Amino acid sequence: PLEPSQDSCRFDDSNCSAGVLPGTSCEVHCRPPSFQGDATALHCPADNVLPSQQPAGMLPNCTLVCTEVQAVPDGYEKSVHNEWCCASGYRGAPHTRCVLNNSSCSTRQELSGCVRQPLPCPPLQLQGQDLCTFDASDCNATVTPNASCVVRC
């Protein structure tokens, strides 16, 4: 039999778990739905006399398959070409990453890269006595992010 797989999420070696007789083989598959790829055969030598002999061969080349984002986070949307982009009011370059949960063997897609655009400050509105004390005419329009306006006495 095979030793317990170090990557039980990636490989399905159940065909090899009961042992492989000398001169025969067993198949190792990629474990769906999180991985896909072609199965490979592991072989037990025909002249094997060692009870602990592991079947020999290459494990399959398994590709991680990611499930689509279920709840789209704020700041992201799909384009007409079905590609992720930053939503209106956000900027940056969206990136996707496929994350494998090793305890449940499930995958999920994570989005990053879009940040909220800074909003302008509204015009300063003086009230009461301040209207007579201060000149805020430079601040009557919205003030863009990282800019300032001058209030005079």
Side-chain angles (χ1 to χ4, degrees):
L2 283 179
E3 290 182 16
S5 174
Q6 293 181 340
D7 196 346
S8 59
C9 289
R10 183 178 302 262
F11 303 114
D12 176 2
D13 56 11
S14 59
N15 290 333
C16 304
S17 62
V20 182
L21 296 174
T24 64
S25 62
C26 65
E27 282 191 343
V28 176
H29 298 267
C30 297
R31 188 176 300 280
S34 298
F35 289 92
Q36 67 182 17
D38 295 329
T40 58
L42 301 183
H43 308 278
C44 180
D47 58 352
N48 181 48
V49 293
L50 300 172
S52 62
Q53 175 67 44
Q54 295 292 303
M58 298 291 293
L59 290 171
N61 184 14
C62 301
T63 304
L64 188 63
V65 176
C66 207
T67 56
E68 189 66 29
V69 172
Q70 298 300 315
V72 178
D74 288 342
Y76 299 89
E77 62 188 16
K78 286 278 188 119
S79 71
V80 294
H81 303 293
N82 204 31
E83 296 175 352
W84 287 109
C85 58
C86 295
S88 178
Y90 289 78
R91 66 178 182 200
H95 300 283
T96 59
R97 183 174 83 120
C98 191
V99 178
L100 175 68
N101 180 326
N102 285 315
S103 60
S104 67
C105 294
S106 62
T107 60
R108 65 182 162 80
Q109 192 177 64
E110 283 185 351
L111 295 168
S112 64
C114 294
V115 294
R116 184 178 292 281
Q117 289 180 337
L119 298 174
C121 296
L124 179 61
Q125 296 182 3
L126 298 176
Q127 297 176 359
Q129 178 94 18
D130 291 341
L131 285 169
C132 298
T133 309
F134 299 105
D135 174 9
S137 57
D138 284 353
C139 303
N140 286 340
T142 58
V143 179
T144 60
N146 294 324
S148 59
C149 65
V150 177
V151 176
R152 295 176 188 81
C153 294

